[in-house]
Amino acid sequence: MSAVSSWVSETLVRDATERRIFAVLGLITVLLVAGVFAGVIGPRFLLFQIALVGMYALLSLGLNVQWGYAGLINFSVAAFWGIGAYCAALLTAPNSPLGLGLHPVFGFLAAIVVSALIAVLIGIPTLRLREDYLAIASLGLAEVIRAIILNERRWTAGSSGISGIPNLMSWLPLTDAATTAAIVVVLIAVVYLFLRRVHRSPWGRVLRTIRSDEDLAKALGKDTYRFKMQAFVIGSVIMAVAGAFYAHLNLYIDPSDLVPLTTFYIWIAVILGGTGSNRGAVVGAAVVIAIREGTRFLNDIGFIQTLGIDLAPLRLLFVGGLIILIMRFRQDGLLPPKDELIWPAARDGSRSGGASPSSAAPDGGTAPNGGDDR
Amino acid sequence: MNDDAYEGARLDKDDVVLKTTGLEKAFGGLVATDDVSIEVDRGTITGMIGPNGAGKSTLFNLISGFYENDAGHVTVNGEEVTDLEPHERARKGLVRTFQTPRRLEGMSVREAMLVGPGPQKGESVFSLFFSGSDVTEEERANIEQTRELLERFEIGHLIDQPSTDLSGGQMKLVELARAFTTDPDILLLDEPVAGVNPTLANDIKRFIRELNEEGQTFLIIEHDMPFIMDLADPIIVLDQGKVLMEGSPDEVRSDDRVIEAYLGGAGP
Ligand SMILES: Nc1ncnc2c1ncn2[C@@H]1O[C@H](COP(=O)(O)OP(=O)(O)OP(=O)(O)O)[C@@H](O)[C@H]1O
Ligand SMILES: [Mg+2]
């Protein structure tokens, strides 16, 4: 128990404000669960929302690698998501235009390979140039992918979409909703642990350098093109995996979600959560989805009905208001990055201090190789 | 000044680390670098001076590959690097700093220092998963080197500070220390004491001299005359994109052409 609490305090919650943020999030969770037991919220509905939040968290984690780590401006989040979703749908749905009905594993594999390929193809001409070129090219890519899916009906079924996508792991002794929710939790855990390892490392450090001053990184001998390409591909693949997962969550996919608005939500989630922070990306996604989905029900509240206005379409306004609040009171986002990007195993031996660099007052190293191997 | 006055640099050195031949660069109609051939001898602190706009920084950018040259060649240790990217030139041992301090947003001094050594094993995603213990070992060594170097430069107490919170002089020191961690054959410093208070400037001079005594070669642009005259030998004088002359501090100080270049500005 104390191990868990010390992990929480060192890894998740770094200061008093963060404790408050997590307390609010915890409270909302408790309320939602209480709602289920009180019969106000259907458990199926809640599990679906959890899966949805999880999917958005994956997308945010992907964009965070690109924008948060490396400073790459990618406006085609929805496109990579769509590539993943369509790979899964086309390969696994028996009544898709391809009609293959393969195992979902192949859908995920195809999503990874195709998104990586497209990321490389976009990266080759743009990543050597100034950062705005990727922004423009990715804006174009988003529209091209959407246009292809809409118009190549022979391959993609166009606007009528693809249905009959199978559930994931339906052999598990859980309801389908519980299974997908569990799967997204596992997916997030895997991606999160992967990113934690690569971020707090010399690799992540070079990306952070590129983000603030690419010329400096070059002057120190770093092949910045290679690093940016890796970040771009990793982020895009994570987005495509989120898309493939969504296909199996929603069991139906059409091009209507491949719009710039989806990309916009993910950008908001990353900025809101704290650019560059993995924890922030997950929390930011949860907040954005809570607002987006929550506002659907505002009209059902009696008091608002008596006002006679339709609040649901105003959800973008709420998102906008939230951004203004955050920028006013917490400029770096809810959970901004706190870690020094130093390989954790290396710092234990060479420093006597704890995990937080700022608490070790003037000079961390009093005992060069003190025996505290936590 | 008429063209005959441009004597050029000395090109008969024994152990040349860096050599440029006929470097040219024009920005539109403005010729910023005009047929520049210089040599830097191993083990020296070579100075580079010249009035504002003489083309010193442009020459650094050409040498380090940040600008593409219109003509000419650059060699490092006898090896042609003219067609290489900046990072490839850095790997060949040619490392530069910038005239304006570069700020690494969100990085502590320790982190900012640790970007220097390279290539590091931990810069490969593959190694992070499959040879973690090598990464740990290398990172430990680099952290230790960072600590020693900062202590040597008498800024050990800053190691935990945000690297953006430093004074101009401290930033220059960190940049010098970081550039040194790349283990360069030649370090190009663009105005290492511009905007630095005299005490810290003296410290920087002392550290540069110490590193040089241990064998580090420098090419240093500097406007602060007492600083560069005291530190460097030889000194190359640039004026209007061309090499005016090269000589010892005394020769440079007493050269009429140099005085004219500084007093006459860009005039004829
Ligand atoms: N990227 C550029 N585009 C256009 N003109 C440039 C560029 N870089 C430099 N110049 C011009 O080239 C000339 C030489 O500039 P440079 O910066 O090399 O001078 P400098 O000797 O370093 O001067 P200072 O002592 O002021 O740093 C100047 O006239 C400058 O305006
Ligand atoms: Mg200059």
Side-chain angles (χ1 to χ4, degrees):
Chain A
M1 199 56 217
S2 75
V4 172
S5 68
S6 78
W7 181 83
V8 167
S9 67
E10 273 169 27
T11 322
L12 286 177
V13 187
R14 306 293 172 75
D15 60 35
T17 320
E18 297 198 1
R19 195 164 306 129
R20 254 173 268 136
I21 289 168
F22 277 101
V24 170
L25 292 174
L27 187 69
I28 292 171
T29 313
V30 169
L31 284 177
L32 287 174
V33 173
V36 171
F37 281 106
V40 184
I41 305 172
R44 233 189 91 76
F45 172 78
L46 185 62
L47 287 168
F48 184 87
Q49 295 301 326
I50 290 175
L52 201 63
V53 166
M55 192 215 54
Y56 274 85
L58 283 175
L59 286 171
S60 305
L61 284 168
L63 181 62
N64 190 45
V65 175
Q66 298 173 339
W67 166 242
Y69 293 7
L72 302 174
I73 302 174
N74 178 7
F75 287 137
S76 53
V77 178
F80 283 105
W81 175 83
I83 288 167
Y86 268 86
C87 282
L90 286 172
L91 291 186
T92 62
N95 55 352
S96 82
L98 300 184
L100 295 171
L102 297 178
H103 190 275
V105 164
F106 295 101
F108 275 90
L109 284 180
I112 291 169
V113 172
V114 174
S115 61
L117 266 176
I118 292 183
V120 169
L121 288 180
I122 290 288
I124 287 174
T126 56
L127 291 179
R128 282 190 202 279
L129 305 173
R130 271 201 336 256
E131 57 256 29
D132 17 353
Y133 285 88
L134 175 63
I136 296 164
S138 65
L139 215 49
L141 175 77
E143 281 312 295
V144 168
I145 298 281
R146 200 164 72 94
I148 289 176
I149 290 175
L150 263 176
N151 295 311
E152 295 299 316
R153 325 190 98 255
R154 224 156 22 113
W155 303 105
T156 64
S159 58
S160 50
I162 301 171
S163 59
I165 304 165
N167 273 301
L168 290 174
M169 301 194 190
S170 38
W171 44 268
L172 280 176
L174 295 168
T175 63
D176 288 340
T179 309
T180 28
I183 288 171
V184 84
V185 169
V186 172
L187 273 179
I188 289 179
V190 169
V191 168
Y192 191 90
L193 291 176
F194 171 84
L195 293 181
R196 240 172 103 74
R197 195 167 177 95
V198 298
H199 193 212
R200 294 192 300 174
S201 75
W203 185 81
R205 203 157 59 214
V206 173
L207 289 182
R208 189 175 270 184
T209 309
I210 291 173
R211 186 177 207 281
S212 44
D213 195 328
E214 184 169 356
D215 278 350
L216 176 60
K218 285 182 182 168
L220 294 169
K222 312 300 179 192
D223 185 354
T224 57
Y225 172 71
R226 195 195 87 193
F227 285 95
K228 289 196 289 182
M229 182 66 92
Q230 290 170 344
F232 189 57
V233 169
I234 290 174
S236 300
V237 165
I238 294 173
M239 291 169 190
V241 167
F245 169 78
Y246 178 77
H248 294 286
L249 166 70
N250 205 41
L251 309 182
Y252 167 77
I253 175 87
D254 70 44
S256 65
D257 277 333
L258 269 76
V259 289
L261 188 63
T262 308
T263 300
F264 168 78
Y265 277 128
I266 302 305
W267 271 90
I268 298 304
V270 170
I271 293 167
L272 203 71
T275 302
S277 148
N278 293 329
R279 311 170 299 148
V282 175
V283 169
V287 172
V288 167
I289 296 309
I291 292 178
R292 201 189 71 174
E293 299 296 308
T295 45
R296 286 186 207 281
F297 302 101
L298 281 179
N299 289 339
D300 299 342
I301 299 171
F303 160 71
I304 288 170
Q305 269 171 352
T306 60
L307 291 180
I309 41 173
D310 184 6
L311 279 180
L314 296 180
R315 63 175 68 113
L316 274 177
L317 192 71
F318 288 102
V319 175
L322 190 70
I323 296 168
I324 292 171
L325 280 181
I326 297 280
M327 288 306 140
R328 174 73 184 74
F329 294 105
R330 209 165 153 82
Q331 277 182 12
D332 295 329
L334 290 172
L335 303 171
K338 285 276 170 64
D339 288 319
E340 277 187 292
L341 301 184
I342 289 172
W343 190 241
R347 85 175 310 149
D348 285 348
S350 59
R351 283 168 52 90
S352 62
S356 104
S358 45
S359 68
D363 175 13
T366 38
N369 35 20
D372 61 330
D373 44 346
R374 282 176 295 113
Chain B
M1 210 177 313
N2 73 46
D3 270 3
D4 305 339
Y6 291 90
E7 180 189 319
R10 292 194 193 144
L11 302 172
D12 52 359
K13 295 174 180 169
D14 305 325
D15 189 5
V16 177
V17 191
L18 170 70
K19 181 183 167 76
T20 73
T21 342
L23 275 185
E24 305 256 356
K25 179 73 185 176
F27 297 107
L30 175 88
V31 182
T33 305
D34 188 357
D35 190 19
V36 170
S37 305
I38 61 165
E39 288 181 353
V40 177
D41 223 353
R42 195 178 310 279
T44 60
I45 300 177
T46 302
M48 179 170 288
I49 62 170
N52 287 111
K56 305 179 296 294
S57 296
T58 303
L59 181 58
F60 263 29
N61 281 322
L62 290 174
I63 292 173
S64 55
F66 282 89
Y67 287 169
E68 226 167 288
N69 58 341
D70 299 338
H73 297 271
V74 181
T75 60
V76 178
N77 295 318
E79 193 180 341
E80 176 85 34
V81 298
T82 316
D83 294 325
L84 298 187
E85 298 277 315
H87 74 268
E88 294 170 315
R89 299 189 196 203
R91 295 272 181 87
K92 298 279 181 201
L94 184 119
V95 174
R96 55 94 46 100
T97 64
F98 295 89
Q99 184 167 346
T100 42
R102 300 290 169 135
R103 305 166 67 78
L104 288 180
E105 221 55 62
M107 286 176 121
S108 68
V109 169
R110 183 190 292 102
E111 264 177 297
M113 284 289 296
L114 284 170
V115 189
Q120 301 175 32
K121 291 200 185 74
E123 287 171 2
S124 137
V125 172
F126 188 82
S127 306
L128 295 178
F129 288 93
F130 298 102
S131 40
S133 58
D134 291 353
V135 174
T136 307
E137 209 171 291
E138 193 182 55
E139 185 90 331
R140 270 202 187 124
N142 287 338
I143 292 174
E144 188 54 28
Q145 183 200 22
T146 288
R147 209 182 48 74
E148 279 167 10
L149 209 53
L150 289 178
E151 234 139 67
R152 174 174 182 180
F153 283 10
E154 295 162 13
I155 46 174
H157 56 288
L158 297 176
I159 194 162
D160 283 315
Q161 297 290 316
S163 64
T164 43
D165 279 6
L166 308 180
S167 74
Q170 290 168 335
M171 247 181 234
K172 293 273 189 190
L173 263 178
V174 170
E175 289 203 318
L176 174 61
R178 176 175 54 215
F180 184 65
T181 63
T182 62
D183 192 20
D185 291 322
I186 177 166
L187 258 180
L188 281 66
L189 308 180
D190 197 344
E191 305 202 12
V193 295
V196 176
N197 74 55
T199 324
L200 212 46
N202 254 326
D203 289 342
I204 292 178
K205 189 186 342 179
R206 181 158 53 88
F207 299 135
I208 291 175
R209 194 172 275 147
E210 267 181 42
L211 295 177
N212 175 250
E213 276 159 13
E214 290 161 25
Q216 180 63 56
T217 309
F218 287 93
L219 176 61
I220 302 178
I221 295 176
E222 189 47 68
H223 272 299
D224 181 334
M225 284 304 155
F227 176 92
I228 197 74
M229 293 286 174
D230 186 28
L231 188 61
D233 190 3
I235 292 173
I236 298 171
V237 186
L238 231 56
D239 178 44
Q240 299 188 47
K242 294 191 276 279
V243 181
L244 186 56
M245 62 140 342
E246 173 176 346
S248 68
D250 282 336
E251 288 166 342
V252 167
R253 227 188 315 253
S254 57
D255 193 290
D256 290 339
R257 293 165 300 180
V258 176
I259 295 166
E260 195 194 328
Y262 270 91
L263 294 181

